[in-house]
Amino acid sequence: MTKPNRDDVLRPVELLILSGVMGVFTGLVVLMSTRDLMFGVIGLGVAFIVSLIVLAMLALAVKPDLEEKRDLDEQDRGTDEPPAPRPPSGH
């Protein structure tokens, strides 16, 4: 079985970092506008969770390309032999 490449490993970290940046930005905006630390922390937490869910759902909506499909087929078979060529689709 093949090891995941660097992009596959870092993709969840990228989602967490981007959500964290969005959460910190929202928390700072709320903190500066209300001058209440608790509202800022609540805004940070809500924005982090909502942005994480939205980004994860968008990542799931992306269709895999040909290379990803071949990788999935290879993982399903559990071997390193190349997949059989696919007939062209009628679409």
Side-chain angles (χ1 to χ4, degrees):
M1 194 166 218
T2 61
K3 292 170 50 174
N5 62 11
R6 183 176 174 190
D7 290 338
D8 293 337
V9 172
L10 292 180
R11 187 167 292 146
V13 176
E14 291 171 357
L15 292 176
L16 287 172
I17 290 172
L18 190 57
S19 295
V21 169
M22 289 181 191
V24 168
F25 176 77
T26 304
L28 286 175
V29 169
V30 171
L31 179 65
M32 289 180 187
S33 61
T34 63
R35 298 193 187 252
D36 188 0
L37 182 62
M38 190 53 72
F39 280 152
V41 171
I42 291 171
L44 183 146
V46 168
F48 175 76
I49 292 170
V50 168
S51 63
L52 185 63
I53 291 172
V54 168
L55 289 173
M57 296 302 285
L58 289 173
L60 286 174
V62 175
K63 292 183 179 181
D65 59 2
L66 183 60
E67 182 179 330
E68 287 177 310
K69 287 181 183 180
R70 286 182 182 163
D71 184 40
L72 290 172
D73 289 341
E74 180 182 302
Q75 290 177 12
D76 287 343
R77 278 196 317 275
T79 62
D80 289 336
E81 63 189 46
R86 294 183 179 189
S89 62
H91 296 268

